[in-house]
Amino acid sequence: MEVKEYVKLRKEELRQEVLAMPHTPKLIIIQANDNPASDAYIRGKLKDSAEIGFVGVLDKRDPSISEEELLKVVKQYNEDPSVDGLIVQLPLPKHISEEAIKMAIDPKKDVDGFHPLGDFIPCTPKGIVNYLSHEGFEFTGKNAVVVGRSNIVGKPMAKLLLAKNCNVTQLHSKTSREDMEFYIAHADLIVVAVGRLALIDKSFKYKPDAYVVDVGMNRGDDGKLHGDCEPGLPVALQTPVPGGVGLLTRLALMENLLEATKK
Ligand code: NAP
């Protein structure tokens, strides 16, 4: 099933669940930047919230806000029992420590899944694994390659695949082309989270039954959004960009919010 179709189906299931709940889940998004990409992500999150029946609230602060002041805002929402999920949209202004803010969010409300003590799986890896499970991918014993090792995607992705009993190999900017070719040729699952247009292309050899998940989002010379993978790779499944992992990430956020509310 296409990602778009799957997301639509799951959103409807979530909507039905919310209808039957005594309390409407509430999500707060704190934004302290003037970043147009953040504006677009937030619009998407608020749209999803509204469609599913959650209350979504944007608390926009001036980017000149001090770290101390922002920590106070976070504390206020941590202590507010009507708030189920709390997100601080990244990036933050340079004078504010992202680490300090992330760690200040109550782990029970950290629906982004960034807090090391939180119960929530970060949204991008969670969305990907849930979708692959729905598509019938059997994780146990499969060779999974994760290209990229960032804290936000690559590392949590590899950790989750390991927990699903895959044989995980993590590649990065210091991996040689020769090794990259070797690991990709033997992979049953390839997750690419780099941020380089068409890094993974038809010049590599693939298992015909491999699954390729493209996390990358790159603005091309044509002004359009493109992934890290060349479209039309000779594999069994390849997620598109746009209309792929971005939607799965948004869906996983809504799933985390519902979980937070139930807790
Ligand atoms: P990041 O923090 O810049 O990390 C990029 C990773 O790619 C690094 O680990 C880097 O290796 C590795 N890398 C760079 N050049 C490489 C190469 N030539 N070969 C192999 N690995 C290479 O980026 P990120 O935050 O993980 O994001 C990655 C991409 O995913 C971006 O395009 C971002 O926009 C997108 N993204 C999408 C979503 C979504 O919901 N769709 C969510 C998050 C991110 P080193 O560690 O060695 O430097």
Side-chain angles (χ1 to χ4, degrees), residues 124 147-150 152-153 172-174 180 193-196 199 215-218 228 245-246 249:
T124 300
V147 192
R149 56 174 167 181
S150 70
I152 213 161
V153 191
H172 45 75
S173 68
K174 304 292 184 282
M180 199 121 138
V194 171
R196 289 239 186 138
L199 174 77
V215 185
M217 288 198 297
N218 311 289
D228 287 347
V245 174
T249 301

mmCIF file with all atom_site columns, all heavy atoms in Angstrom, residues 124 147-150 152-153 172-174 180 193-196 199 215-218 228 245-246 249, ligand 1:
data_model
loop_
_atom_site.group_PDB
_atom_site.id
_atom_site.type_symbol
_atom_site.label_atom_id
_atom_site.label_alt_id
_atom_site.label_comp_id
_atom_site.label_asym_id
_atom_site.label_entity_id
_atom_site.label_seq_id
_atom_site.pdbx_PDB_ins_code
_atom_site.Cartn_x
_atom_site.Cartn_y
_atom_site.Cartn_z
_atom_site.occupancy
_atom_site.B_iso_or_equiv
_atom_site.pdbx_formal_charge
_atom_site.auth_seq_id
_atom_site.auth_comp_id
_atom_site.auth_asym_id
_atom_site.auth_atom_id
_atom_site.pdbx_PDB_model_num
ATOM   1   N N   . THR A 1 124 ? 10.350 9.667  13.433 1.00 0.00 ? 124 THR A N   1
ATOM   2   C CA  . THR A 1 124 ? 10.734 9.186  12.099 1.00 0.00 ? 124 THR A CA  1
ATOM   3   C C   . THR A 1 124 ? 10.993 7.672  12.115 1.00 0.00 ? 124 THR A C   1
ATOM   4   O O   . THR A 1 124 ? 10.355 6.933  11.342 1.00 0.00 ? 124 THR A O   1
ATOM   5   C CB  . THR A 1 124 ? 11.937 9.986  11.547 1.00 0.00 ? 124 THR A CB  1
ATOM   6   O OG1 . THR A 1 124 ? 11.547 11.357 11.466 1.00 0.00 ? 124 THR A OG1 1
ATOM   7   C CG2 . THR A 1 124 ? 12.361 9.501  10.178 1.00 0.00 ? 124 THR A CG2 1
ATOM   8   N N   . VAL A 1 147 ? 21.969 4.436  6.280  1.00 0.00 ? 147 VAL A N   1
ATOM   9   C CA  . VAL A 1 147 ? 22.976 5.390  5.811  1.00 0.00 ? 147 VAL A CA  1
ATOM   10  C C   . VAL A 1 147 ? 22.713 6.711  6.529  1.00 0.00 ? 147 VAL A C   1
ATOM   11  O O   . VAL A 1 147 ? 21.635 7.298  6.377  1.00 0.00 ? 147 VAL A O   1
ATOM   12  C CB  . VAL A 1 147 ? 22.924 5.587  4.270  1.00 0.00 ? 147 VAL A CB  1
ATOM   13  C CG1 . VAL A 1 147 ? 24.157 6.348  3.791  1.00 0.00 ? 147 VAL A CG1 1
ATOM   14  C CG2 . VAL A 1 147 ? 22.813 4.249  3.555  1.00 0.00 ? 147 VAL A CG2 1
ATOM   15  N N   . GLY A 1 148 ? 23.682 7.174  7.317  1.00 0.00 ? 148 GLY A N   1
ATOM   16  C CA  . GLY A 1 148 ? 23.514 8.369  8.158  1.00 0.00 ? 148 GLY A CA  1
ATOM   17  C C   . GLY A 1 148 ? 23.510 7.945  9.618  1.00 0.00 ? 148 GLY A C   1
ATOM   18  O O   . GLY A 1 148 ? 22.986 6.865  9.947  1.00 0.00 ? 148 GLY A O   1
ATOM   19  N N   . ARG A 1 149 ? 24.077 8.775  10.472 1.00 0.00 ? 149 ARG A N   1
ATOM   20  C CA  . ARG A 1 149 ? 24.171 8.411  11.908 1.00 0.00 ? 149 ARG A CA  1
ATOM   21  C C   . ARG A 1 149 ? 23.870 9.615  12.804 1.00 0.00 ? 149 ARG A C   1
ATOM   22  O O   . ARG A 1 149 ? 24.520 9.801  13.829 1.00 0.00 ? 149 ARG A O   1
ATOM   23  C CB  . ARG A 1 149 ? 25.565 7.855  12.214 1.00 0.00 ? 149 ARG A CB  1
ATOM   24  C CG  . ARG A 1 149 ? 26.683 8.814  11.831 1.00 0.00 ? 149 ARG A CG  1
ATOM   25  C CD  . ARG A 1 149 ? 28.043 8.317  12.267 1.00 0.00 ? 149 ARG A CD  1
ATOM   26  N NE  . ARG A 1 149 ? 29.091 9.096  11.631 1.00 0.00 ? 149 ARG A NE  1
ATOM   27  C CZ  . ARG A 1 149 ? 30.376 8.878  11.802 1.00 0.00 ? 149 ARG A CZ  1
ATOM   28  N NH1 . ARG A 1 149 ? 30.800 7.910  12.576 1.00 0.00 ? 149 ARG A NH1 1
ATOM   29  N NH2 . ARG A 1 149 ? 31.288 9.640  11.193 1.00 0.00 ? 149 ARG A NH2 1
ATOM   30  N N   . SER A 1 150 ? 22.925 10.442 12.378 1.00 0.00 ? 150 SER A N   1
ATOM   31  C CA  . SER A 1 150 ? 22.583 11.602 13.209 1.00 0.00 ? 150 SER A CA  1
ATOM   32  C C   . SER A 1 150 ? 21.833 11.137 14.453 1.00 0.00 ? 150 SER A C   1
ATOM   33  O O   . SER A 1 150 ? 21.243 10.055 14.469 1.00 0.00 ? 150 SER A O   1
ATOM   34  C CB  . SER A 1 150 ? 21.715 12.584 12.423 1.00 0.00 ? 150 SER A CB  1
ATOM   35  O OG  . SER A 1 150 ? 20.439 12.027 12.212 1.00 0.00 ? 150 SER A OG  1
ATOM   36  N N   . ILE A 1 152 ? 19.159 12.418 15.519 1.00 0.00 ? 152 ILE A N   1
ATOM   37  C CA  . ILE A 1 152 ? 17.717 12.579 15.343 1.00 0.00 ? 152 ILE A CA  1
ATOM   38  C C   . ILE A 1 152 ? 17.100 11.466 14.480 1.00 0.00 ? 152 ILE A C   1
ATOM   39  O O   . ILE A 1 152 ? 15.966 11.060 14.695 1.00 0.00 ? 152 ILE A O   1
ATOM   40  C CB  . ILE A 1 152 ? 17.440 14.004 14.801 1.00 0.00 ? 152 ILE A CB  1
ATOM   41  C CG1 . ILE A 1 152 ? 16.122 14.533 15.307 1.00 0.00 ? 152 ILE A CG1 1
ATOM   42  C CG2 . ILE A 1 152 ? 17.528 14.099 13.330 1.00 0.00 ? 152 ILE A CG2 1
ATOM   43  C CD1 . ILE A 1 152 ? 16.003 16.042 15.214 1.00 0.00 ? 152 ILE A CD1 1
ATOM   44  N N   . VAL A 1 153 ? 17.869 10.946 13.509 1.00 0.00 ? 153 VAL A N   1
ATOM   45  C CA  . VAL A 1 153 ? 17.318 9.890  12.638 1.00 0.00 ? 153 VAL A CA  1
ATOM   46  C C   . VAL A 1 153 ? 18.187 8.625  12.628 1.00 0.00 ? 153 VAL A C   1
ATOM   47  O O   . VAL A 1 153 ? 17.735 7.565  13.044 1.00 0.00 ? 153 VAL A O   1
ATOM   48  C CB  . VAL A 1 153 ? 17.124 10.361 11.171 1.00 0.00 ? 153 VAL A CB  1
ATOM   49  C CG1 . VAL A 1 153 ? 16.317 9.334  10.389 1.00 0.00 ? 153 VAL A CG1 1
ATOM   50  C CG2 . VAL A 1 153 ? 16.460 11.706 11.075 1.00 0.00 ? 153 VAL A CG2 1
ATOM   51  N N   . HIS A 1 172 ? 28.181 5.956  6.944  1.00 0.00 ? 172 HIS A N   1
ATOM   52  C CA  . HIS A 1 172 ? 28.265 7.408  7.185  1.00 0.00 ? 172 HIS A CA  1
ATOM   53  C C   . HIS A 1 172 ? 29.257 8.036  6.216  1.00 0.00 ? 172 HIS A C   1
ATOM   54  O O   . HIS A 1 172 ? 29.712 7.354  5.281  1.00 0.00 ? 172 HIS A O   1
ATOM   55  C CB  . HIS A 1 172 ? 28.647 7.657  8.651  1.00 0.00 ? 172 HIS A CB  1
ATOM   56  C CG  . HIS A 1 172 ? 29.747 6.774  9.121  1.00 0.00 ? 172 HIS A CG  1
ATOM   57  N ND1 . HIS A 1 172 ? 31.051 6.959  8.759  1.00 0.00 ? 172 HIS A ND1 1
ATOM   58  C CD2 . HIS A 1 172 ? 29.704 5.633  9.876  1.00 0.00 ? 172 HIS A CD2 1
ATOM   59  C CE1 . HIS A 1 172 ? 31.793 6.007  9.294  1.00 0.00 ? 172 HIS A CE1 1
ATOM   60  N NE2 . HIS A 1 172 ? 30.984 5.185  9.972  1.00 0.00 ? 172 HIS A NE2 1
ATOM   61  N N   . SER A 1 173 ? 29.614 9.276  6.468  1.00 0.00 ? 173 SER A N   1
ATOM   62  C CA  . SER A 1 173 ? 30.439 9.997  5.488  1.00 0.00 ? 173 SER A CA  1
ATOM   63  C C   . SER A 1 173 ? 31.857 9.435  5.376  1.00 0.00 ? 173 SER A C   1
ATOM   64  O O   . SER A 1 173 ? 32.550 9.700  4.395  1.00 0.00 ? 173 SER A O   1
ATOM   65  C CB  . SER A 1 173 ? 30.506 11.483 5.841  1.00 0.00 ? 173 SER A CB  1
ATOM   66  O OG  . SER A 1 173 ? 31.240 11.671 7.024  1.00 0.00 ? 173 SER A OG  1
ATOM   67  N N   . LYS A 1 174 ? 32.265 8.636  6.351  1.00 0.00 ? 174 LYS A N   1
ATOM   68  C CA  . LYS A 1 174 ? 33.630 8.082  6.285  1.00 0.00 ? 174 LYS A CA  1
ATOM   69  C C   . LYS A 1 174 ? 33.638 6.671  5.693  1.00 0.00 ? 174 LYS A C   1
ATOM   70  O O   . LYS A 1 174 ? 34.678 6.020  5.630  1.00 0.00 ? 174 LYS A O   1
ATOM   71  C CB  . LYS A 1 174 ? 34.260 8.056  7.697  1.00 0.00 ? 174 LYS A CB  1
ATOM   72  C CG  . LYS A 1 174 ? 34.288 9.407  8.409  1.00 0.00 ? 174 LYS A CG  1
ATOM   73  C CD  . LYS A 1 174 ? 35.234 10.389 7.731  1.00 0.00 ? 174 LYS A CD  1
ATOM   74  C CE  . LYS A 1 174 ? 35.329 11.694 8.510  1.00 0.00 ? 174 LYS A CE  1
ATOM   75  N NZ  . LYS A 1 174 ? 34.148 12.570 8.290  1.00 0.00 ? 174 LYS A NZ  1
ATOM   76  N N   . MET A 1 180 ? 30.329 0.772  0.769  1.00 0.00 ? 180 MET A N   1
ATOM   77  C CA  . MET A 1 180 ? 28.923 1.148  0.585  1.00 0.00 ? 180 MET A CA  1
ATOM   78  C C   . MET A 1 180 ? 28.276 0.205  -0.439 1.00 0.00 ? 180 MET A C   1
ATOM   79  O O   . MET A 1 180 ? 27.167 -0.293 -0.225 1.00 0.00 ? 180 MET A O   1
ATOM   80  C CB  . MET A 1 180 ? 28.881 2.594  0.075  1.00 0.00 ? 180 MET A CB  1
ATOM   81  C CG  . MET A 1 180 ? 27.601 3.245  0.264  1.00 0.00 ? 180 MET A CG  1
ATOM   82  S SD  . MET A 1 180 ? 27.844 4.708  1.271  1.00 0.00 ? 180 MET A SD  1
ATOM   83  C CE  . MET A 1 180 ? 26.801 5.806  0.409  1.00 0.00 ? 180 MET A CE  1
ATOM   84  N N   . ALA A 1 193 ? 19.271 8.378  5.336  1.00 0.00 ? 193 ALA A N   1
ATOM   85  C CA  . ALA A 1 193 ? 18.988 9.645  6.019  1.00 0.00 ? 193 ALA A CA  1
ATOM   86  C C   . ALA A 1 193 ? 20.259 10.479 6.028  1.00 0.00 ? 193 ALA A C   1
ATOM   87  O O   . ALA A 1 193 ? 21.000 10.514 7.001  1.00 0.00 ? 193 ALA A O   1
ATOM   88  C CB  . ALA A 1 193 ? 18.502 9.382  7.440  1.00 0.00 ? 193 ALA A CB  1
ATOM   89  N N   . VAL A 1 194 ? 20.513 11.123 4.906  1.00 0.00 ? 194 VAL A N   1
ATOM   90  C CA  . VAL A 1 194 ? 21.773 11.854 4.731  1.00 0.00 ? 194 VAL A CA  1
ATOM   91  C C   . VAL A 1 194 ? 21.526 13.344 4.434  1.00 0.00 ? 194 VAL A C   1
ATOM   92  O O   . VAL A 1 194 ? 22.089 14.229 5.074  1.00 0.00 ? 194 VAL A O   1
ATOM   93  C CB  . VAL A 1 194 ? 22.623 11.198 3.606  1.00 0.00 ? 194 VAL A CB  1
ATOM   94  C CG1 . VAL A 1 194 ? 23.827 12.058 3.257  1.00 0.00 ? 194 VAL A CG1 1
ATOM   95  C CG2 . VAL A 1 194 ? 23.086 9.811  4.032  1.00 0.00 ? 194 VAL A CG2 1
ATOM   96  N N   . GLY A 1 195 ? 20.698 13.610 3.429  1.00 0.00 ? 195 GLY A N   1
ATOM   97  C CA  . GLY A 1 195 ? 20.500 14.999 3.013  1.00 0.00 ? 195 GLY A CA  1
ATOM   98  C C   . GLY A 1 195 ? 21.341 15.328 1.794  1.00 0.00 ? 195 GLY A C   1
ATOM   99  O O   . GLY A 1 195 ? 21.889 16.424 1.682  1.00 0.00 ? 195 GLY A O   1
ATOM   100 N N   . ARG A 1 196 ? 21.514 14.351 0.900  1.00 0.00 ? 196 ARG A N   1
ATOM   101 C CA  . ARG A 1 196 ? 22.243 14.549 -0.366 1.00 0.00 ? 196 ARG A CA  1
ATOM   102 C C   . ARG A 1 196 ? 21.409 14.010 -1.509 1.00 0.00 ? 196 ARG A C   1
ATOM   103 O O   . ARG A 1 196 ? 21.127 12.795 -1.548 1.00 0.00 ? 196 ARG A O   1
ATOM   104 C CB  . ARG A 1 196 ? 23.560 13.778 -0.360 1.00 0.00 ? 196 ARG A CB  1
ATOM   105 C CG  . ARG A 1 196 ? 24.562 14.349 0.549  1.00 0.00 ? 196 ARG A CG  1
ATOM   106 C CD  . ARG A 1 196 ? 25.790 14.719 -0.267 1.00 0.00 ? 196 ARG A CD  1
ATOM   107 N NE  . ARG A 1 196 ? 26.815 15.144 0.654  1.00 0.00 ? 196 ARG A NE  1
ATOM   108 C CZ  . ARG A 1 196 ? 28.071 14.814 0.558  1.00 0.00 ? 196 ARG A CZ  1
ATOM   109 N NH1 . ARG A 1 196 ? 28.479 14.056 -0.438 1.00 0.00 ? 196 ARG A NH1 1
ATOM   110 N NH2 . ARG A 1 196 ? 28.940 15.250 1.423  1.00 0.00 ? 196 ARG A NH2 1
ATOM   111 N N   . LEU A 1 199 ? 22.045 10.501 -3.674 1.00 0.00 ? 199 LEU A N   1
ATOM   112 C CA  . LEU A 1 199 ? 23.284 9.839  -3.220 1.00 0.00 ? 199 LEU A CA  1
ATOM   113 C C   . LEU A 1 199 ? 23.222 8.343  -3.550 1.00 0.00 ? 199 LEU A C   1
ATOM   114 O O   . LEU A 1 199 ? 24.196 7.738  -3.981 1.00 0.00 ? 199 LEU A O   1
ATOM   115 C CB  . LEU A 1 199 ? 23.425 10.036 -1.698 1.00 0.00 ? 199 LEU A CB  1
ATOM   116 C CG  . LEU A 1 199 ? 24.569 9.292  -1.039 1.00 0.00 ? 199 LEU A CG  1
ATOM   117 C CD1 . LEU A 1 199 ? 25.893 9.993  -1.312 1.00 0.00 ? 199 LEU A CD1 1
ATOM   118 C CD2 . LEU A 1 199 ? 24.363 9.174  0.462  1.00 0.00 ? 199 LEU A CD2 1
ATOM   119 N N   . VAL A 1 215 ? 14.627 8.884  3.626  1.00 0.00 ? 215 VAL A N   1
ATOM   120 C CA  . VAL A 1 215 ? 14.291 9.904  4.632  1.00 0.00 ? 215 VAL A CA  1
ATOM   121 C C   . VAL A 1 215 ? 14.675 11.307 4.147  1.00 0.00 ? 215 VAL A C   1
ATOM   122 O O   . VAL A 1 215 ? 14.115 12.306 4.577  1.00 0.00 ? 215 VAL A O   1
ATOM   123 C CB  . VAL A 1 215 ? 15.011 9.592  5.978  1.00 0.00 ? 215 VAL A CB  1
ATOM   124 C CG1 . VAL A 1 215 ? 14.589 10.559 7.067  1.00 0.00 ? 215 VAL A CG1 1
ATOM   125 C CG2 . VAL A 1 215 ? 14.751 8.159  6.421  1.00 0.00 ? 215 VAL A CG2 1
ATOM   126 N N   . GLY A 1 216 ? 15.614 11.378 3.241  1.00 0.00 ? 216 GLY A N   1
ATOM   127 C CA  . GLY A 1 216 ? 16.191 12.663 2.824  1.00 0.00 ? 216 GLY A CA  1
ATOM   128 C C   . GLY A 1 216 ? 15.174 13.647 2.263  1.00 0.00 ? 216 GLY A C   1
ATOM   129 O O   . GLY A 1 216 ? 14.180 13.259 1.650  1.00 0.00 ? 216 GLY A O   1
ATOM   130 N N   . MET A 1 217 ? 15.445 14.906 2.525  1.00 0.00 ? 217 MET A N   1
ATOM   131 C CA  . MET A 1 217 ? 14.602 15.970 1.952  1.00 0.00 ? 217 MET A CA  1
ATOM   132 C C   . MET A 1 217 ? 15.543 17.047 1.451  1.00 0.00 ? 217 MET A C   1
ATOM   133 O O   . MET A 1 217 ? 16.215 17.709 2.240  1.00 0.00 ? 217 MET A O   1
ATOM   134 C CB  . MET A 1 217 ? 13.667 16.542 3.025  1.00 0.00 ? 217 MET A CB  1
ATOM   135 C CG  . MET A 1 217 ? 12.558 15.579 3.398  1.00 0.00 ? 217 MET A CG  1
ATOM   136 S SD  . MET A 1 217 ? 11.184 16.378 4.232  1.00 0.00 ? 217 MET A SD  1
ATOM   137 C CE  . MET A 1 217 ? 11.971 16.968 5.691  1.00 0.00 ? 217 MET A CE  1
ATOM   138 N N   . ASN A 1 218 ? 15.601 17.178 0.138  1.00 0.00 ? 218 ASN A N   1
ATOM   139 C CA  . ASN A 1 218 ? 16.524 18.135 -0.467 1.00 0.00 ? 218 ASN A CA  1
ATOM   140 C C   . ASN A 1 218 ? 15.773 18.998 -1.466 1.00 0.00 ? 218 ASN A C   1
ATOM   141 O O   . ASN A 1 218 ? 14.997 18.475 -2.265 1.00 0.00 ? 218 ASN A O   1
ATOM   142 C CB  . ASN A 1 218 ? 17.636 17.387 -1.220 1.00 0.00 ? 218 ASN A CB  1
ATOM   143 C CG  . ASN A 1 218 ? 18.260 16.284 -0.382 1.00 0.00 ? 218 ASN A CG  1
ATOM   144 O OD1 . ASN A 1 218 ? 18.979 16.561 0.566  1.00 0.00 ? 218 ASN A OD1 1
ATOM   145 N ND2 . ASN A 1 218 ? 17.970 15.023 -0.719 1.00 0.00 ? 218 ASN A ND2 1
ATOM   146 N N   . ASP A 1 228 ? 17.017 11.378 -1.010 1.00 0.00 ? 228 ASP A N   1
ATOM   147 C CA  . ASP A 1 228 ? 18.432 11.014 -1.122 1.00 0.00 ? 228 ASP A CA  1
ATOM   148 C C   . ASP A 1 228 ? 18.612 9.900  -2.152 1.00 0.00 ? 228 ASP A C   1
ATOM   149 O O   . ASP A 1 228 ? 19.737 9.527  -2.465 1.00 0.00 ? 228 ASP A O   1
ATOM   150 C CB  . ASP A 1 228 ? 18.949 10.490 0.232  1.00 0.00 ? 228 ASP A CB  1
ATOM   151 C CG  . ASP A 1 228 ? 19.121 11.602 1.257  1.00 0.00 ? 228 ASP A CG  1
ATOM   152 O OD1 . ASP A 1 228 ? 19.084 12.786 0.881  1.00 0.00 ? 228 ASP A OD1 1
ATOM   153 O OD2 . ASP A 1 228 ? 19.303 11.275 2.450  1.00 0.00 ? 228 ASP A OD2 1
ATOM   154 N N   . VAL A 1 245 ? 8.303  9.420  3.903  1.00 0.00 ? 245 VAL A N   1
ATOM   155 C CA  . VAL A 1 245 ? 8.687  9.430  5.327  1.00 0.00 ? 245 VAL A CA  1
ATOM   156 C C   . VAL A 1 245 ? 8.170  10.669 6.077  1.00 0.00 ? 245 VAL A C   1
ATOM   157 O O   . VAL A 1 245 ? 7.852  10.585 7.260  1.00 0.00 ? 245 VAL A O   1
ATOM   158 C CB  . VAL A 1 245 ? 10.223 9.276  5.453  1.00 0.00 ? 245 VAL A CB  1
ATOM   159 C CG1 . VAL A 1 245 ? 10.672 9.440  6.894  1.00 0.00 ? 245 VAL A CG1 1
ATOM   160 C CG2 . VAL A 1 245 ? 10.648 7.909  4.920  1.00 0.00 ? 245 VAL A CG2 1
ATOM   161 N N   . GLY A 1 246 ? 8.054  11.786 5.384  1.00 0.00 ? 246 GLY A N   1
ATOM   162 C CA  . GLY A 1 246 ? 7.517  12.991 6.046  1.00 0.00 ? 246 GLY A CA  1
ATOM   163 C C   . GLY A 1 246 ? 6.128  12.720 6.614  1.00 0.00 ? 246 GLY A C   1
ATOM   164 O O   . GLY A 1 246 ? 5.830  13.063 7.766  1.00 0.00 ? 246 GLY A O   1
ATOM   165 N N   . THR A 1 249 ? 6.328  10.290 9.597  1.00 0.00 ? 249 THR A N   1
ATOM   166 C CA  . THR A 1 249 ? 6.829  10.971 10.800 1.00 0.00 ? 249 THR A CA  1
ATOM   167 C C   . THR A 1 249 ? 5.685  11.719 11.482 1.00 0.00 ? 249 THR A C   1
ATOM   168 O O   . THR A 1 249 ? 5.513  11.654 12.698 1.00 0.00 ? 249 THR A O   1
ATOM   169 C CB  . THR A 1 249 ? 7.963  11.947 10.402 1.00 0.00 ? 249 THR A CB  1
ATOM   170 O OG1 . THR A 1 249 ? 9.009  11.206 9.782  1.00 0.00 ? 249 THR A OG1 1
ATOM   171 C CG2 . THR A 1 249 ? 8.517  12.685 11.605 1.00 0.00 ? 249 THR A CG2 1
HETATM 172 P P1  . NAP B 2 .   ? 22.460 15.258 9.530  1.00 0.00 ? 1   NAP B P1  1
HETATM 173 O O1  . NAP B 2 .   ? 22.388 15.506 10.993 1.00 0.00 ? 1   NAP B O1  1
HETATM 174 O O2  . NAP B 2 .   ? 23.106 16.263 8.651  1.00 0.00 ? 1   NAP B O2  1
HETATM 175 O O3  . NAP B 2 .   ? 23.212 13.858 9.318  1.00 0.00 ? 1   NAP B O3  1
HETATM 176 C C1  . NAP B 2 .   ? 23.547 13.406 8.050  1.00 0.00 ? 1   NAP B C1  1
HETATM 177 C C2  . NAP B 2 .   ? 24.276 12.079 8.156  1.00 0.00 ? 1   NAP B C2  1
HETATM 178 O O4  . NAP B 2 .   ? 24.618 11.673 6.850  1.00 0.00 ? 1   NAP B O4  1
HETATM 179 C C3  . NAP B 2 .   ? 25.575 12.123 8.962  1.00 0.00 ? 1   NAP B C3  1
HETATM 180 O O5  . NAP B 2 .   ? 25.628 11.036 9.848  1.00 0.00 ? 1   NAP B O5  1
HETATM 181 C C4  . NAP B 2 .   ? 26.665 12.039 7.906  1.00 0.00 ? 1   NAP B C4  1
HETATM 182 O O6  . NAP B 2 .   ? 27.818 11.333 8.298  1.00 0.00 ? 1   NAP B O6  1
HETATM 183 C C5  . NAP B 2 .   ? 25.978 11.258 6.820  1.00 0.00 ? 1   NAP B C5  1
HETATM 184 N N1  . NAP B 2 .   ? 26.574 11.538 5.510  1.00 0.00 ? 1   NAP B N1  1
HETATM 185 C C6  . NAP B 2 .   ? 26.900 12.739 4.964  1.00 0.00 ? 1   NAP B C6  1
HETATM 186 N N2  . NAP B 2 .   ? 27.414 12.569 3.726  1.00 0.00 ? 1   NAP B N2  1
HETATM 187 C C7  . NAP B 2 .   ? 27.406 11.240 3.496  1.00 0.00 ? 1   NAP B C7  1
HETATM 188 C C8  . NAP B 2 .   ? 27.819 10.439 2.400  1.00 0.00 ? 1   NAP B C8  1
HETATM 189 N N3  . NAP B 2 .   ? 28.357 10.977 1.288  1.00 0.00 ? 1   NAP B N3  1
HETATM 190 N N4  . NAP B 2 .   ? 27.674 9.101  2.498  1.00 0.00 ? 1   NAP B N4  1
HETATM 191 C C9  . NAP B 2 .   ? 27.156 8.527  3.597  1.00 0.00 ? 1   NAP B C9  1
HETATM 192 N N5  . NAP B 2 .   ? 26.738 9.237  4.681  1.00 0.00 ? 1   NAP B N5  1
HETATM 193 C C10 . NAP B 2 .   ? 26.876 10.575 4.617  1.00 0.00 ? 1   NAP B C10 1
HETATM 194 O O7  . NAP B 2 .   ? 21.022 15.004 8.916  1.00 0.00 ? 1   NAP B O7  1
HETATM 195 P P2  . NAP B 2 .   ? 19.672 14.392 9.578  1.00 0.00 ? 1   NAP B P2  1
HETATM 196 O O8  . NAP B 2 .   ? 19.091 15.351 10.540 1.00 0.00 ? 1   NAP B O8  1
HETATM 197 O O9  . NAP B 2 .   ? 19.895 12.981 9.996  1.00 0.00 ? 1   NAP B O9  1
HETATM 198 O O10 . NAP B 2 .   ? 18.735 14.389 8.276  1.00 0.00 ? 1   NAP B O10 1
HETATM 199 C C11 . NAP B 2 .   ? 19.068 13.641 7.123  1.00 0.00 ? 1   NAP B C11 1
HETATM 200 C C12 . NAP B 2 .   ? 18.084 13.946 6.012  1.00 0.00 ? 1   NAP B C12 1
HETATM 201 O O11 . NAP B 2 .   ? 16.785 13.523 6.435  1.00 0.00 ? 1   NAP B O11 1
HETATM 202 C C13 . NAP B 2 .   ? 17.930 15.444 5.694  1.00 0.00 ? 1   NAP B C13 1
HETATM 203 O O12 . NAP B 2 .   ? 17.681 15.583 4.312  1.00 0.00 ? 1   NAP B O12 1
HETATM 204 C C14 . NAP B 2 .   ? 16.707 15.867 6.492  1.00 0.00 ? 1   NAP B C14 1
HETATM 205 O O13 . NAP B 2 .   ? 16.042 16.967 5.923  1.00 0.00 ? 1   NAP B O13 1
HETATM 206 C C15 . NAP B 2 .   ? 15.860 14.610 6.382  1.00 0.00 ? 1   NAP B C15 1
HETATM 207 N N6  . NAP B 2 .   ? 14.882 14.412 7.461  1.00 0.00 ? 1   NAP B N6  1
HETATM 208 C C16 . NAP B 2 .   ? 13.625 14.078 7.086  1.00 0.00 ? 1   NAP B C16 1
HETATM 209 C C17 . NAP B 2 .   ? 12.657 13.832 8.051  1.00 0.00 ? 1   NAP B C17 1
HETATM 210 C C18 . NAP B 2 .   ? 11.280 13.467 7.617  1.00 0.00 ? 1   NAP B C18 1
HETATM 211 O O14 . NAP B 2 .   ? 10.368 13.455 8.423  1.00 0.00 ? 1   NAP B O14 1
HETATM 212 N N7  . NAP B 2 .   ? 11.073 13.140 6.345  1.00 0.00 ? 1   NAP B N7  1
HETATM 213 C C19 . NAP B 2 .   ? 12.972 13.913 9.415  1.00 0.00 ? 1   NAP B C19 1
HETATM 214 C C20 . NAP B 2 .   ? 14.280 14.236 9.762  1.00 0.00 ? 1   NAP B C20 1
HETATM 215 C C21 . NAP B 2 .   ? 15.240 14.462 8.774  1.00 0.00 ? 1   NAP B C21 1
HETATM 216 P P3  . NAP B 2 .   ? 28.839 11.851 9.447  1.00 0.00 ? 1   NAP B P3  1
HETATM 217 O O15 . NAP B 2 .   ? 28.174 11.528 10.743 1.00 0.00 ? 1   NAP B O15 1
HETATM 218 O O16 . NAP B 2 .   ? 30.058 11.065 9.193  1.00 0.00 ? 1   NAP B O16 1
HETATM 219 O O17 . NAP B 2 .   ? 29.010 13.333 9.233  1.00 0.00 ? 1   NAP B O17 1
#
